[in-house]
Amino acid sequence: MGKVLYTAKVNVLNGREGSAASDDKRLDINLSAPGSKETGTNPEQLFAAGWSACFIGAMRHNAAHLQIPLPEKVSVNAEVDLAAGEHGFSLQARLFVNLPGLSQEQATFVIEAAHHTCPYSKATRGNINVLITAVI
């Protein structure tokens, strides 16, 4: 294990139909099952948001080292699927990385570098199907 930079502490009560709250009270949300008409978000949406935010941070970090200027408005549209198969439930994901103004080569360099340094990408690599596409 490496040097701990931050520890998120969250309590989830009653699973997908419950609530989640962080110890610092910055996160305090209702949870609901995917497709439910109940109020609240679901774990797949939270995962998509977390991964996207982390991926953008990794792109900024790597673009600076690669001396590639990132556009002012960088975004990721993430799709995380909850799937069911013969081995039970699983996730799969698609990240559509919006890098307007970059060449395809620049976008590819930044995305590949970010995918190798982003902790979410590292955690999912080899564990779920992932497709990352540059949108320029």
Side-chain angles (χ1 to χ4, degrees):
M1 289 282 219
K3 176 184 171 189
V4 174
L5 301 176
Y6 173 76
T7 300
K9 296 180 182 179
V10 175
N11 177 268
V12 174
L13 178 64
N14 294 329
R16 287 182 178 272
E17 290 79 26
S19 62
S22 62
D23 66 331
D24 63 4
K25 305 299 181 213
R26 290 183 176 197
L27 176 72
D28 189 1
I29 58 171
N30 291 324
L31 299 172
S32 61
S36 168
K37 299 216 186 284
E38 299 298 318
T39 60
T41 188
N42 61 64
E44 291 73 23
Q45 291 170 324
L46 293 170
F47 186 72
W51 192 356
S52 297
C54 185
F55 200 86
I56 290 171
M59 285 194 300
R60 286 189 175 132
H61 172 79
N62 288 290
H65 290 327
L66 293 168
Q67 298 183 348
I68 296 174
L70 283 187
E72 187 175 312
K73 294 193 178 193
V74 175
S75 66
V76 173
N77 294 327
E79 298 176 356
V80 174
D81 301 324
L82 174 62
E86 65 181 66
H87 299 292
F89 296 107
S90 65
L91 297 176
Q92 56 191 26
R94 291 165 304 286
L95 303 181
F96 299 94
V97 183
N98 299 292
L99 295 167
L102 292 190
S103 69
Q104 184 65 48
E105 181 180 43
Q106 289 173 317
T108 298
F109 281 142
V110 170
I111 288 170
E112 286 179 0
H115 193 49
H116 286 290
T117 56
C118 172
Y120 281 75
S121 291
K122 288 179 181 182
T124 59
R125 187 171 294 111
N127 295 312
I128 68 171
N129 290 327
V130 176
L131 175 65
I132 302 176
T133 304
V135 180
I136 51 176

